[in-house]
Amino acid sequence: MTGEASPSAGARRVALPERTVESRLIVVARAQRAADYEPVLDVLVDAGIRSIELTLTTPGTFDRLPQLLARYDGVADLGVGTVTNSEDLARAVDAGARYLVTPITSTSFVQQATDAGVPIVPGGLTPTELFASWSAGASAVKVFPAGQVGPSYLKDLRGPFPDIVAVPSGGVDLAGAEAWLAAGAVAVSVGGPLLGDAFGGGDLGALRDRAEAFVAVCAR
């Protein structure tokens, strides 16, 4: 079996936002509450972050999303992540999310998002899971949890699936970001190694330094 450059018959693929692809970096913002988003996101955007995934495990994300989209319009792509049911997917689409991220493999989610014209990055780890999403028309596939495999895994996947577009997520630190991108990832998805304790009252100056370091590595 070989990789497919195009989705399977009857499916189509919605491209990831250009700003996200150019930056090659998605920051996963998982806060205790949505009211805490702005101070941290302001620092991230000012440091050069151009794509941020807001997680539905953060209470109040949907309520805050319109305000955040207006605040960072034209500067950063705001996606909605941790989508695990079709109702939340539809709500994220209606709210204006620039892209969707799921931790699971669901071809029905891929179809629902694609029909709505919104990019989607479904998660998976095994070749079967990743290829199922890719052939269904996913914009990219999320290799999750990436820390359990490592960048060489993407090189192995590229053997049978040379055209697959991958975004590793989970445990990707600064050195890992560089290695995954060198292995052919379209972007890396980064959470704790970049955010640290920022959502817990941590030093925002230190957050800026970490963000700038990741931006520099991903720009190489």
Side-chain angles (χ1 to χ4, degrees):
M1 181 181 292
T2 58
E4 294 181 3
S6 301
S8 57
R12 63 189 180 91
R13 198 182 314 284
V14 180
L16 286 171
E18 185 176 347
R19 188 182 289 116
T20 295
V21 174
E22 289 179 350
S23 70
R24 305 206 296 169
L25 174 62
I26 299 170
V27 176
V28 182
R30 199 179 303 276
Q32 293 296 314
R33 54 179 188 158
D36 297 332
Y37 276 138
E38 280 95 330
V40 172
L41 267 58
D42 282 351
V43 172
L44 294 177
V45 170
D46 193 54
I49 301 297
R50 294 295 174 257
S51 189
I52 301 168
E53 174 190 334
L54 307 176
T55 66
L56 293 185
T57 52
T58 299
T61 290
F62 276 132
D63 293 334
R64 204 76 172 184
L65 186 56
Q67 176 181 333
L68 295 171
L69 287 167
R71 186 181 186 91
Y72 304 110
D73 182 45
V75 180
D77 296 326
L78 298 187
V80 170
T82 325
V83 176
T84 58
N85 61 70
S86 60
E87 291 78 14
D88 282 347
L89 192 154
R91 191 175 178 188
V93 168
D94 291 342
R98 300 296 184 248
Y99 58 88
L100 306 167
V101 183
T102 83
I104 60 174
T105 300
S106 170
T107 57
S108 65
F109 285 4
V110 173
Q111 181 175 348
Q112 183 181 353
T114 302
D115 287 347
V118 178
I120 184 168
V121 185
L125 188 62
T126 70
T128 298
E129 291 169 339
L130 296 170
F131 186 69
S133 292
W134 180 245
S135 61
S139 307
V141 294
K142 181 172 79 166
V143 180
F144 174 79
Q148 299 300 311
V149 286
S152 63
Y153 187 57
L154 181 53
K155 293 182 179 180
D156 291 338
L157 288 173
R158 283 285 174 80
F161 314 135
D163 301 307
I164 202 166
V165 176
V167 178
S169 180
V172 180
D173 59 13
L174 191 61
E178 186 171 22
W180 277 102
L181 291 170
V186 68
V188 290
S189 174
V190 179
L194 191 158
L195 288 169
D197 60 354
F199 281 120
D203 185 348
L204 295 183
L207 172 65
R208 180 187 300 275
D209 291 343
R210 292 191 299 272
E212 289 177 345
F214 272 91
V215 168
V217 161
C218 294
R220 292 176 186 167

